[in-house]
Amino acid sequence: MSLARLLVCLTLLFMVAGCTRRSAAPPGQKATIQPVVTPEAPPHPAELAQDAAASVAPPVSRKTAEASGKTAADTPAETPAKTDDALGRERFLLFLPAAPLLVELRMTIDGQPFADAREQLVDDALKLADHDGDGRATWEEIYSDPKRAFAARFDVQTRNVLRKEFLKTYDTNQNGLLDRDEARRIVSRAKSAGDAFSLAGTTEYRHANRRQSIVRVMLDANGDDLLDAAELAGAPVRLRVRDANNDHLVSWDELDDSLAGDRQAMSARQDAYFNQPAALRLGPRASWDGIIYALAEIYLSSDEIPDDASPLLKSLADRLDADHDGHLSYDEARMLDAVEPHLVLAANFGRSGDLLSGVSLVRAAEILGPESDLVSHLPNGLLLRLADYRLQILMDDRQGADVKTAAEAQFEMLDKDKNSYLEKTDLGDSSPELARIFDEADADADGKLYLHELLAYQRRQQPQTTAIQAVAQDDQDVLFALLDANHDDRLTKRELQAAREVLLALDADGDERISLAELPGSMTLWLGRGMPSDMSQPRRRTAAPPPLPAGPDWFVFMDENRDQEISLDEFPGTAEKFRALDLNGDGFISLSEAHRTMD
């Protein structure tokens, strides 16, 4: 029996049996285990297998890359090695059209497992709630605190709230103690910080991003659903017409202000009712009923897996049916927690230390193909080519390392005697803001403010910097995503000039025409940190803001649109002078060429 039939049977059994844990089995037959999960359940064998799996590999280190003479963009994955770094790992399924993709994501913040930063805030909360220092943080101490220190920091309402109602609201297990799980929830609610890791996703545009592609509709002048040779040749001009502000860039907003955009939005709204998940989380917090239902709903057209099902889907079925009995039990489905993932990614936020900054590929399953054909590097992430599908993995670190660097610079400037700590007398009038928060930041109240105390104080004031949010979504317009090589939501003049060649690369049958069937699917997995959780809705645009101008003063002055290069249209001098600066003769003065002219 195929995996498809097994999943359908399992779903139907669950719907009928409801909360039944195990169905009765006729003599000589295997019972089907029903999906019932209770919070008090002991660790599942699949979870233990995951912790013991020897196939887990650490992120590629910066030292390894430098020793080999390679950069983050061309460093291959290291040999897998065992690690117990469970706080830094999350697993989830990406629901691509052809098959689910099993992903393991390893994350760090300032070189440490990402959950460590949040747990430090939880420790702070427990300590702040223990006023009498007896080692027991209680809700009564929080409620009766006249200074409201805990309440003010974590947005807990104590004023004008009856004690009984207060305890009913916050003491979820009614034991009088601020338990660690309760402290985690309080920290996650403070300033809309969100959980230490959260995953969201939507397939809202899955059925619209090809036929209703705004770019495709604009280029298809005769409306025959084909982009012919003439339409491809005219692509740069037709797109450039949308440059409303004449800044030599075509932004998504300029394109979206069109009839095609209206039709796409309407189509997406009509499909919203049928929206399927783009990603679901695995591990202890997984909704296994939802995962099993999604597998059956998305990948079955009948009670059998189609004969043309992707090798990826077939191989996953074989790996989950451990006893090869033709049945997929609930326990076997949960082995998604333990089997080898298709992708292992590393995402290092802030200061990465010896690890490579940004997003890097640690390992890819052999079934996905050679790594040289699979991955390309973008300025803020990766592009993976999976058969006829494009998966972009982008990082948006709103906190980054700049805030920490600024704090260190301020600390060093104020520490005039270089004794590695500050006293109030060191501040004088030079930093009234630091003087104001001195006592609160001085955690041990010894009258000395160390750098680590200052950084910890800043972290407490911005709990969202300890939260990583992952959002998976089908790209709204597959062709725009394809043309936007650096994924900044703008088509530069260079990208417009390359439009014909980029689109022709989709011509699988060589007839110099692009049909709907030749357009790839496209999804973006966005990884963000440093913004409140209520600002990271799945439908948000995932582009990073334009980079700040860089380079010699004359280059920065001319680069008004911040695309890090200057075209002849932007250059105020003569064409002869432009050609002298355009060292490779490609029609643009790049930032590297600007630096070379200054040597």
Side-chain angles (χ1 to χ4, degrees):
M1 183 181 291
S2 65
L3 174 62
R5 187 184 295 275
L6 300 175
L7 291 174
V8 168
C9 293
L10 181 60
T11 302
L12 292 175
L13 284 170
F14 170 66
M15 293 172 65
V16 173
C19 295
T20 303
R21 179 174 296 275
R22 186 180 298 270
S23 61
Q29 294 187 19
K30 178 181 177 181
T32 302
I33 296 177
Q34 298 300 308
V36 177
V37 181
T38 60
E40 296 80 14
H44 187 273
E47 296 166 5
L48 300 177
Q50 180 185 14
D51 293 336
S55 59
V56 177
V60 179
S61 69
R62 186 186 307 276
K63 289 182 178 179
T64 301
E66 292 174 350
S68 63
K70 297 182 179 181
T71 65
D74 57 14
T75 302
E78 292 182 334
T79 303
K82 184 177 179 180
T83 179
D84 294 324
D85 185 13
L87 286 178
R89 297 180 312 204
E90 290 288 344
R91 275 194 172 209
F92 53 88
L93 286 175
L94 286 179
F95 292 95
L96 307 187
L101 195 69
L102 179 56
V103 179
E104 179 175 293
L105 180 61
R106 302 172 185 174
M107 296 165 286
T108 65
I109 295 177
D110 292 335
Q112 301 299 316
F114 79 96
D116 283 0
R118 175 56 60 87
E119 291 305 301
Q120 291 176 20
L121 294 186
V122 174
D123 289 339
D124 291 342
L126 294 170
K127 182 178 180 180
L128 191 61
D130 182 16
H131 297 307
D132 57 16
D134 65 352
R136 298 171 72 252
T138 68
W139 286 107
E140 182 63 37
E141 288 174 288
I142 295 171
Y143 181 76
S144 59
D145 177 20
K147 296 183 179 180
R148 300 184 68 251
F150 183 98
R153 179 176 297 176
F154 298 107
D155 301 328
V156 173
Q157 298 299 319
T158 58
R159 289 181 176 175
N160 302 320
V161 179
L162 296 177
R163 178 182 176 279
K164 181 178 179 181
E165 293 301 320
F166 174 82
L167 294 176
K168 182 178 179 181
T169 300
Y170 293 107
D171 187 10
T172 56
N173 58 11
Q174 300 298 300
N175 68 351
L177 300 175
L178 174 61
D179 300 317
R180 195 167 192 87
D181 284 343
E182 292 172 336
R184 288 194 184 102
R185 285 192 289 272
I186 290 294
V187 172
S188 68
R189 293 169 184 168
K191 301 182 181 179
S192 301
D195 293 336
F197 176 78
S198 60
L199 177 68
T202 178
T203 56
E204 179 178 353
Y205 294 105
R206 176 158 296 182
H207 304 292
N209 63 7
R210 299 189 192 193
R211 177 172 292 278
Q212 297 298 335
S213 160
I214 294 174
V215 173
R216 191 196 69 79
V217 172
M218 289 184 62
L219 299 185
D220 184 15
N222 58 12
D224 64 352
D225 284 343
L226 292 171
L227 299 182
D228 58 33
E231 289 167 339
L232 292 174
V237 174
R238 292 185 68 85
L239 292 171
R240 195 177 295 118
V241 169
R242 302 297 301 183
D243 181 13
N245 59 3
N246 199 32
D247 65 349
H248 309 288
L249 296 168
V250 179
S251 68
W252 171 256
D253 291 336
E254 289 172 323
L255 281 178
D256 198 14
D257 183 21
S258 64
L259 183 60
D262 294 338
R263 287 203 299 269
Q264 188 192 67
M266 182 178 297
S267 175
R269 285 194 295 270
Q270 291 172 344
D271 289 340
Y273 179 78
F274 304 102
N275 187 22
Q276 297 168 332
L280 288 177
R281 191 172 180 179
L282 300 174
R285 302 186 64 179
S287 171
W288 289 103
D289 299 339
I291 290 169
I292 293 172
Y293 180 80
L295 288 171
E297 180 74 11
I298 296 174
Y299 301 109
L300 302 183
S301 58
S302 63
D303 62 349
E304 297 283 348
I305 290 182
D307 293 336
D308 60 351
S310 69
L312 197 61
L313 182 56
K314 292 179 180 178
S315 68
L316 186 59
D318 291 339
R319 293 162 67 191
L320 293 179
D321 187 14
D323 56 10
H324 305 289
D325 68 343
H327 293 269
L328 183 66
S329 69
Y330 185 57
D331 284 348
E332 286 173 333
R334 288 197 65 182
M335 289 304 293
L336 283 166
D337 270 347
V339 297
E340 185 78 10
H342 296 123
L343 287 176
V344 180
L345 303 169
N348 300 314
F349 293 83
R351 290 188 170 181
S352 57
D354 290 336
L355 303 175
L356 292 174
S357 298
V359 182
S360 59
L361 176 65
V362 178
R363 184 174 65 255
E366 186 175 338
I367 195 172
L368 299 180
E371 187 176 322
S372 57
D373 299 333
L374 175 67
V375 62
S376 298
H377 293 264
L378 304 174
N380 57 333
L382 301 174
L383 170 62
L384 303 180
R385 297 179 181 85
L386 307 166
D388 60 347
Y389 207 78
R390 302 171 76 254
L391 173 62
Q392 296 176 110
I393 304 154
L394 305 177
M395 177 183 284
D396 186 1
D397 191 355
R398 300 293 175 88
Q399 183 72 3
D402 293 339
V403 172
K404 189 173 183 179
T405 301
E408 290 174 344
Q410 179 189 29
F411 190 93
E412 183 178 0
M413 179 187 69
L414 295 172
D415 184 20
K416 295 182 172 56
D417 54 10
K418 305 305 176 186
N419 58 3
S420 299
Y421 61 84
L422 300 177
E423 298 177 294
K424 279 191 176 181
T425 55
D426 294 329
L427 303 180
D429 297 328
S430 57
S431 182
E433 176 63 21
L434 191 55
R436 184 183 65 82
I437 59 97
F438 187 96
D439 291 334
E440 186 176 353
D442 180 16
D444 56 6
D446 64 351
K448 301 175 182 178
L449 180 61
Y450 292 89
L451 178 60
H452 69 87
E453 292 177 318
L454 177 59
L455 295 175
Y457 172 83
Q458 292 181 335
R459 185 172 60 249
R460 292 196 299 268
Q461 306 313 303
Q462 297 177 304
Q464 62 268 24
T465 64
T466 66
I468 296 176
Q469 301 148 37
V471 180
Q473 60 184 30
D474 286 274
D475 291 319
Q476 189 171 351
D477 188 318
V478 62
L479 288 187
F480 186 89
L482 192 66
L483 297 177
D484 184 15
N486 63 359
H487 206 88
D488 65 350
D489 263 4
R490 310 179 303 167
L491 301 181
T492 66
K493 187 172 182 179
R494 184 188 291 272
E495 290 168 340
L496 291 171
Q497 287 182 357
R500 178 181 177 275
E501 288 71 24
V502 171
L503 295 174
L504 267 179
L506 303 176
D507 181 19
D509 56 14
D511 64 353
E512 295 190 357
R513 300 188 303 174
I514 310 301
S515 66
L516 285 172
E518 290 174 311
L519 298 184
S522 182
M523 176 184 281
T524 295
L525 174 64
W526 170 78
L527 305 173
R529 179 182 77 113
M531 67 289 292
S533 60
D534 56 3
M535 292 176 60
S536 61
Q537 299 302 316
R539 298 181 187 180
R540 71 182 294 279
R541 297 302 299 172
T542 60
L548 295 175
D553 291 343
W554 63 268
F555 184 89
V556 172
F557 175 77
M558 296 180 193
D559 185 22
E560 294 184 1
N561 61 14
R562 295 188 178 185
D563 64 353
Q564 298 297 302
E565 57 188 13
I566 298 170
S567 65
L568 183 58
D569 295 332
E570 296 174 294
F571 191 71
T574 65
E576 181 180 2
K577 179 63 175 177
F578 181 88
R579 287 191 294 271
L581 296 172
D582 179 16
L583 301 179
N584 62 3
D586 66 349
F588 298 90
I589 302 173
S590 66
L591 179 59
S592 61
E593 288 173 330
H595 281 300
R596 287 165 63 185
T597 60
M598 303 300 293
D599 294 340

